Amino acid sequence: MAQDRLIIGLTGGIGSGKSTVAALFAEHGAGIIDTDAIAHQLTQAGGVAIAAIRAAFGDDYLTDDGALDRAKMRALIFSDAAAKQRLEQILHPMIFEQAKAQLRLLQASPYILVVVPLLPESRTFRQLAQRVLVVDCDENTQISRVIGRSRMTGKEVRAIIARQTSRAERLRLADDIIHNDAGLDRLAEQVATLHQRYSKMQNSN
């Protein structure tokens, strides 16, 4: 495990800009582990999680090419808490094992960001990270961003936001906060400042 590396858990609500922030940190040389990307790999056609998903939910929740049907599964887990828990029991341990494997490959990084949308709800990942970095913006900004990049309606996005950890709770957990309401230049400035801070913290270990 990368215990000699400073590990920061990066989180935020849907549409807050986590991926953009992670990309800016990567430009400074930070190691990045994206748990959403891991989940997509696990659930693509031929992915490691597909057999377990088929056994738990049946072929109805797979696409014709054998990948997870994300839209259909999203609709199911929003209406069925037991189904949501069943999917998480399949995916979360696999995601964590893949993240640990990636950590071992990032020993040369100045520090490591693990992007975890559900970090406030994940005790495992919270124990892994020494600091929590929250990307924050107002709810209307979240909604407009998600609508702009996906086929979701405003109602669907609001439903997702309502089910995620509240903005107030995320901010309460934060060691550091990036405000993402003022454009890319301001975002880059905040990332540069935190890069300096994290580099100093790593070097002081």
Side-chain angles (χ1 to χ4, degrees), residues 8 19 96 99 102 127 198:
I8 298 109
S19 296
F96 188 66
Q102 291 186 25
Q127 290 175 344
Y198 294 152

Side-chain angles (χ1 to χ4, degrees), residues 8 131-135 174-178 194 197-198 201:
I8 298 109
R131 294 184 73 80
V132 174
L133 169 59
V134 170
V135 185
D175 297 296
D176 306 298
I177 300 169
I178 284 181
L194 281 173
R197 182 184 304 169
Y198 294 152
M201 290 175 69

Side-chain angles (χ1 to χ4, degrees), residues 9 11-13 116-123 126 132-137 139 142 161-177:
T11 194
V116 188
L118 300 179
L119 183 68
E121 302 164 35
S122 174
R123 182 179 299 176
R126 282 172 61 185
V132 174
L133 169 59
V134 170
V135 185
D136 182 59
C137 65
E139 187 172 305
Q142 289 179 262
I161 290 172
R163 284 184 171 243
Q164 290 186 331
T165 302
S166 71
R167 183 182 185 187
E169 177 65 11
R170 274 196 304 270
L171 293 173
R172 189 184 68 79
L173 290 171
D175 297 296
D176 306 298
I177 300 169

Side-chain angles (χ1 to χ4, degrees), residues 141-161:
T141 302
Q142 289 179 262
I143 293 166
S144 63
R145 283 179 183 150
V146 177
I147 291 172
R149 75 184 188 205
S150 73
R151 296 179 180 177
M152 289 189 209
T153 65
K155 183 179 179 181
E156 288 173 322
V157 180
R158 286 186 183 90
I160 292 173
I161 290 172

Side-chain angles (χ1 to χ4, degrees), residues 53 56-58 60-61 68-87 163:
I53 290 170
F57 298 96
D60 285 349
Y61 290 91
L68 175 66
D69 188 325
R70 299 182 195 288
K72 190 176 280 190
M73 182 61 77
R74 184 167 56 237
L76 174 66
I77 64 177
F78 265 76
S79 62
D80 186 338
K84 179 175 183 285
Q85 186 175 30
R86 201 155 69 242
L87 181 65
R163 284 184 171 243

Side-chain angles (χ1 to χ4, degrees), residues 24-45:
L24 289 168
F25 273 105
E27 291 178 8
H28 289 281
I32 306 294
I33 298 171
D34 186 337
T35 60
D36 263 356
I38 293 172
H40 276 73
Q41 291 166 1
L42 291 170
T43 57
Q44 66 188 4

Side-chain angles (χ1 to χ4, degrees), residues 11 46 62 97 103 108 114 120 125 135 152 159 161 184 192 202:
T11 194
L62 302 179
E97 287 305 311
L103 278 171
V114 184
F125 274 105
V135 185
M152 289 189 209
I161 290 172
L184 192 58
Q202 175 63 62

